[in-house]
Amino acid sequence: MSYFERNFDIKKAKGNIPNWLIAEQLGIHENSYYRLLRQELPKKKKEEILKIIEELKRD
């Protein structure tokens, strides 16, 4: 898996939502969020982030 394919579903789903806003909802610093995305995330963590993205899109 290439670097650009890691967590592609999250990157695609977030659209124009800023990363800092997702990190804020996760309760972590923006830089920590960037570090999370460096490696392919476990399914449970991906689901948590995708849920946050959907909630932010509704607002």
Side-chain angles (χ1 to χ4, degrees), residues 1-55:
M1 175 179 294
S2 79
Y3 171 77
F4 297 105
E5 293 174 352
R6 293 179 193 160
N7 302 306
F8 182 75
D9 46 348
I10 293 173
K11 294 171 189 174
K12 184 178 177 183
K14 84 174 202 73
N16 293 330
I17 298 173
N19 287 326
W20 66 265
L21 194 54
I22 298 169
E24 185 178 87
Q25 294 296 314
L26 283 169
I28 60 175
H29 192 275
E30 181 180 3
N31 291 342
S32 298
Y33 178 69
Y34 286 123
R35 285 189 206 113
L36 274 178
L37 295 179
R38 288 180 185 172
Q39 300 298 321
E40 188 67 24
L41 293 173
K43 185 177 179 179
K44 188 172 183 176
K45 191 67 170 178
K46 274 189 180 190
E47 290 171 355
E48 178 184 2
I49 293 172
L50 290 170
K51 182 180 175 186
I52 289 171
I53 290 170
E54 290 304 315
E55 290 172 2

